[in-house]
Amino acid sequence: MSYEPRNPSYKEEVANSFSQQAIMKLLGAALTRVEPGIVEITIGYRPDLTQQTDFIHAGVIATIADSACGYAAYSLMAPGSEVLSVEFKVNLLRPAKGNSFTARAEVVKSGKTLTVVNANVTADNEVLVATMLGT
């Protein structure tokens, strides 16, 4: 789906907001794609982000998916807007093992108050490990 951003400086505002997120810094996350209604966030494998069997923790996967969804929605919002998640559902499809993990979020429907976004998280850009539907 193709969207027209309401804010001509959406890329800069997404990048600026992302750079202020302490959790993204803690995870070593990078903003790897920003387009109208589409955002990707990538992290590398780190042992300190794993659970007891050395897979990336589900909470970490959900965190990058949630942020990707939020920024995909934010990329279509009017200047001066703020974004917060009000609801999301995560399906963990297989263990998160690999060298890098990318959450790719794409707006399903952009509204004035609520926006619905879908994100897929892949390991090494090919193996689907989780999906999220967020509002």
Side-chain angles (χ1 to χ4, degrees), residues 5-45:
R6 294 181 204 147
N7 183 348
S9 62
Y10 75 94
K11 280 187 180 187
E12 294 82 10
E13 291 197 25
V14 167
N16 182 51
S17 177
F18 182 85
S19 73
Q20 295 176 48
Q21 280 206 23
I23 188 67
M24 293 294 112
K25 289 177 188 170
L26 180 68
L27 297 177
L31 193 59
T32 50
R33 181 177 179 186
V34 179
E35 295 177 18
I38 300 172
V39 166
E40 290 182 1
I41 295 174
T42 301
I43 61 167
Y45 175 87

Side-chain angles (χ1 to χ4, degrees), residues 3-7 10 13-14 17 31 33-41 65-79 81-87 104-119 134-135:
Y3 290 101
E4 189 68 34
R6 294 181 204 147
N7 183 348
Y10 75 94
E13 291 197 25
V14 167
S17 177
L31 193 59
R33 181 177 179 186
V34 179
E35 295 177 18
I38 300 172
V39 166
E40 290 182 1
I41 295 174
D66 175 47
S67 283
C69 284
Y71 284 119
Y74 187 55
S75 73
L76 299 177
M77 293 178 166
S81 297
E82 294 290 333
V83 65
L84 288 172
S85 297
V86 296
E87 178 181 37
R104 182 183 189 278
E106 188 166 352
V107 169
V108 175
K109 180 175 184 312
S110 180
K112 287 183 181 179
T113 305
L114 296 176
T115 298
V116 177
V117 186
N118 182 71
T135 305

Side-chain angles (χ1 to χ4, degrees), residues 41-108:
I41 295 174
T42 301
I43 61 167
Y45 175 87
R46 288 189 357 220
D48 62 325
L49 300 179
T50 63
Q51 40 81 297
Q52 71 281 4
T53 55
D54 293 326
F55 303 127
I56 296 294
H57 194 283
V60 172
I61 296 299
T63 298
I64 64 170
D66 175 47
S67 283
C69 284
Y71 284 119
Y74 187 55
S75 73
L76 299 177
M77 293 178 166
S81 297
E82 294 290 333
V83 65
L84 288 172
S85 297
V86 296
E87 178 181 37
F88 61 75
K89 179 187 186 323
V90 179
N91 288 89
L92 302 164
L93 305 173
R94 61 180 44 91
K97 60 181 178 178
N99 295 311
S100 68
F101 303 86
T102 299
R104 182 183 189 278
E106 188 166 352
V107 169
V108 175

